[in-house]
């Protein structure tokens, strides 16, 4: 039993107003939207994941789960720097050359730049990565993903947002209006820090969730409380999420998401080093290197040294049907349902997708029901059922839950 007053279950009532503000309006369908390709499904889960490795058991004053959540919500740290280690294990098989091709295409975001953060940061959805972060108020932030002999950085400084991929020597630039009170303007397509991951987890705190304080830990040399978040519903693939919260500042330092299937955490994400001090002003300075290709975002102006942006890829087919997205159930067992417009999975023949469609079919588990037939694509966290008539059912739920939902919808 935890050494704190922590057996109270957190519900929709009784949580501090600050937490309601964090959650308000953000538990809708967008939380469950996942692409129909298994690689896209895997990438979309990064906003849910994490893992905690304890290194000590400091003695701290008692605190309730509600008080700890309130501490996170009230945290007003504006300045910090540190190193975050992120390891993701969604249980996908090795994709070999096909994986390289898909990721290569994914990194060519809008405008054809490999430095575009909208797609580049999705690479954090697999493998182990070291990320350096720094912040000085709402208008200055830097996130750098360190790779072998290369680095990818996003720098937000005032109205400018720069992204630089040293491997390709490409730069992506856009402008952002000055930050308003309480708003952050840095790119948020994929959470990269413990704080962002904690916000994702706290969206799920409702009457379908058990929230307790589960002891203490020491993370990056700092004393922390452990907040344990567990679904009370059956059918979810989420076993438990642990958030290590800095006892002094209320800043989330590390996270754990363990699937119901057991084994290693889906993602291990947390600070290995952290300091709550003002970073040097030069941290947020950036000038495009000589010879770099500079692509301007839609809000920026064309650089005289940049090449003309390539046409943005047509996302209409992938996005078709998302306007009609609806959800089935609630809480951790929520399933998203949408219609791709009658485009089910291709058969895998050379005339209907060739090697790619055949590969995707080989990953899937073929199922039948009142809906006819379909294919379930599975990771350790997110599963998606695509029926032959183009309906998609997806969520952090088991295969049986998806089949049951599809049957009930027909």
């Amino acid at each position: 039993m935890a050494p704190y007053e922590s057996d109270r279950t957190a519900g929709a009532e009784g949580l501090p107003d600050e937490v309601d503000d964090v959650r308000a309006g953000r538990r809708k369908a967008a939380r469950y939207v996942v692409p129909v390709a298994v690689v896209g499904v895997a990438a979309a889960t990064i906003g849910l994941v994490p893992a905690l490795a304890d290194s000590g058991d400091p003695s701290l004053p008692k605190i309730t789960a509600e008080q700890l959540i309130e501490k996170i919500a009230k945290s007003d740290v504006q300045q910090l720097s540190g190193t975050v280690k992120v390891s993701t294990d969604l249980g996908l098989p090795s994709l070999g050359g096909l994986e390289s091709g898909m990721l290569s295409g994914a990194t060519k975001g809008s405008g054809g730049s490999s430095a575009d953060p909208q797609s580049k940061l999705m690479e954090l959805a697999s493998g182990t990565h070291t990320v350096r972060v720094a912040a000085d108020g709402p208008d200055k932030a830097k996130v750098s993903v360190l790779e072998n002999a290369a680095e990818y950085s996003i720098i937000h400084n005032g109205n400018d947002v720069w992204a630089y991929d040293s491997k390709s020597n490409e730069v992506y630039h856009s402008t952002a209006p000055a930050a308003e009170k309480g708003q952050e303007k840095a790119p948020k397509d994929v959470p990269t820090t413990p704080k962002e991951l904690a916000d994702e987890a706290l969206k799920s705190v409702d009457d379908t969730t058990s929230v307790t304080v589960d002891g203490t830990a020491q993370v990056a040399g700092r004393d922390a409380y452990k907040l344990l978040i567990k679904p009370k519903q059956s059918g979810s693939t989420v076993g438990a999420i642990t958030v290590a919260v800095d006892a002094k500042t209320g800043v989330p330092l590390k996270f754990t998401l363990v699937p119901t299937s057991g084994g290693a955490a889906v993602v291990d994400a947390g600070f290995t080093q952290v300091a709550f001090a003002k970073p040097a002003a030069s941290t947020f300075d950036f000038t495009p290197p000589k010879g770099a290709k500079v692509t301007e975002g839609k809000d920026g102006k064309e650089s005289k040294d940049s090449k003309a942006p390539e046409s943005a890829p047509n996302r209409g087919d992938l996005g078709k049907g998302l306007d009609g997205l609806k959800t089935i159930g609630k809480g951790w067992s929520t399933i998203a349902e949408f219609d791709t417009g009658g485009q089910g999975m291709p058969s895998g023949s050379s005339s209907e997708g060739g090697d790619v469609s055949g590969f995707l079919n080989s990953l899937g588990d073929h199922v039948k029901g009142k809906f006819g037939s379909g294919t379930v694509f599975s990771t350790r966290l997110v599963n998606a059922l695509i029926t032959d008539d183009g309906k998609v059912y997806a969520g952090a739920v088991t295969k049986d839950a998806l089949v049951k939902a599809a049957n009930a919808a027909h």
Side-chain angles (χ1 to χ4, degrees), residues 27 30 34 53 60-61 66 74 122 146 152 182 208 243 331 408:
R27 281 180 287 156
V34 290
L60 294 171
E66 288 82 1
K74 286 186 174 181
M122 286 189 179
L146 308 184
Y152 175 78
T208 68
V243 181

Side-chain angles (χ1 to χ4, degrees), residues 73-99:
K74 286 186 174 181
S75 179
D76 61 353
V77 170
Q78 296 288 311
Q79 300 171 332
L80 66 80
S81 59
T83 302
V84 179
K85 183 178 180 181
V86 180
S87 297
T88 310
D89 179 10
L90 287 162
L92 290 171
S94 175
L95 304 184
L98 180 58
E99 178 185 41

Side-chain angles (χ1 to χ4, degrees), residues 156-238:
H156 177 211
N157 193 344
N159 290 340
D160 292 304
V161 177
W162 296 94
Y164 176 58
D165 185 355
S166 68
K167 183 182 296 184
S168 63
N169 198 29
E170 292 192 22
V171 175
Y172 183 88
H173 174 248
S174 63
T175 58
E180 299 175 9
K181 184 178 180 181
Q183 292 184 331
E184 298 177 355
K185 294 297 181 180
K188 298 296 180 186
D189 295 313
V190 178
T192 56
T193 67
K195 175 64 168 67
E196 293 167 6
L197 290 169
D199 287 345
E200 293 295 322
L202 290 175
K203 292 178 192 178
S204 303
V205 176
D206 57 19
D207 58 2
T208 68
T209 310
S210 168
V211 183
T212 60
V213 177
D214 189 33
T216 64
Q218 192 170 76
V219 178
R222 298 186 65 89
D223 292 346
Y225 293 102
K226 295 193 297 182
L227 186 69
L228 182 63
I229 303 170
K230 298 180 68 175
K232 296 196 296 183
Q233 300 167 300
S234 61
S236 174
T237 55
V238 177

Side-chain angles (χ1 to χ4, degrees), residues 41-386:
V41 169
T45 64
I46 190 66
L48 299 176
V49 286
L52 177 65
D54 295 340
S55 57
D57 188 14
S59 178
L60 294 171
K62 292 182 179 180
I63 191 171
T64 65
E66 288 82 1
Q67 290 170 335
L68 188 53
I69 293 175
E70 184 175 6
K71 191 177 187 71
I72 297 172
K74 286 186 174 181
S75 179
D76 61 353
V77 170
Q78 296 288 311
Q79 300 171 332
L80 66 80
S81 59
T83 302
V84 179
K85 183 178 180 181
V86 180
S87 297
T88 310
D89 179 10
L90 287 162
L92 290 171
S94 175
L95 304 184
L98 180 58
E99 178 185 41
S100 299
M102 286 182 171
L103 290 179
S104 175
T107 57
K108 291 289 184 180
S110 59
S113 174
S114 68
D116 186 346
Q118 291 187 6
S119 53
K120 182 68 177 180
L121 290 181
M122 286 189 179
E123 294 180 13
L124 293 177
S126 64
T128 299
H129 304 271
T130 299
V131 181
R132 288 180 182 163
V133 299
D136 183 9
D139 287 325
K140 291 185 178 182
K142 182 176 182 178
V143 176
S144 298
V145 182
L146 308 184
E147 303 172 342
N148 292 331
E151 180 175 321
Y152 175 78
S153 295
I154 299 175
I155 305 99
H156 177 211
N157 193 344
N159 290 340
D160 292 304
V161 177
W162 296 94
Y164 176 58
D165 185 355
S166 68
K167 183 182 296 184
S168 63
N169 198 29
E170 292 192 22
V171 175
Y172 183 88
H173 174 248
S174 63
T175 58
E180 299 175 9
K181 184 178 180 181
Q183 292 184 331
E184 298 177 355
K185 294 297 181 180
K188 298 296 180 186
D189 295 313
V190 178
T192 56
T193 67
K195 175 64 168 67
E196 293 167 6
L197 290 169
D199 287 345
E200 293 295 322
L202 290 175
K203 292 178 192 178
S204 303
V205 176
D206 57 19
D207 58 2
T208 68
T209 310
S210 168
V211 183
T212 60
V213 177
D214 189 33
T216 64
Q218 192 170 76
V219 178
R222 298 186 65 89
D223 292 346
Y225 293 102
K226 295 193 297 182
L227 186 69
L228 182 63
I229 303 170
K230 298 180 68 175
K232 296 196 296 183
Q233 300 167 300
S234 61
S236 174
T237 55
V238 177
I241 294 175
T242 304
V243 181
V245 182
D246 186 69
K248 184 176 181 179
T249 66
V251 172
L253 298 175
K254 207 166 187 180
F255 306 80
T256 304
L257 187 149
V258 178
T260 54
S261 58
V266 172
V267 169
D268 183 7
F271 281 103
T272 57
Q273 295 179 327
V274 65
F276 299 101
K278 182 182 178 70
S282 59
T283 301
F284 311 103
D285 292 339
F286 180 79
T287 300
K290 184 178 180 180
K293 172 190 173 182
V294 180
T295 299
E296 293 286 346
K298 63 181 180 179
D299 294 326
K301 296 180 180 179
E302 184 69 20
S303 167
K304 65 180 181 180
D305 297 324
S306 67
K307 298 179 182 178
E310 300 172 14
S311 298
N314 183 359
R315 295 186 176 88
D317 291 340
L318 181 62
K320 183 191 292 186
L322 294 186
D323 290 340
L325 184 147
K326 58 184 179 181
T327 59
I328 301 170
K330 69 173 185 175
W332 299 86
S333 298
T334 301
I335 295 171
E337 176 190 357
F338 58 94
D339 194 337
T340 63
Q343 300 177 19
M345 285 302 300
S347 65
S349 65
S350 59
S351 62
E352 296 185 58
D355 293 339
V356 172
S357 59
F359 173 79
L360 291 176
N361 271 302
S362 71
L363 290 179
D365 184 5
H366 298 280
V367 294
K368 294 182 180 295
K370 294 180 180 178
F371 53 86
S373 60
T375 305
V376 176
F377 296 99
S378 300
T379 72
R380 297 177 66 211
L381 189 64
V382 174
N383 295 322
L385 165 61
I386 306 174

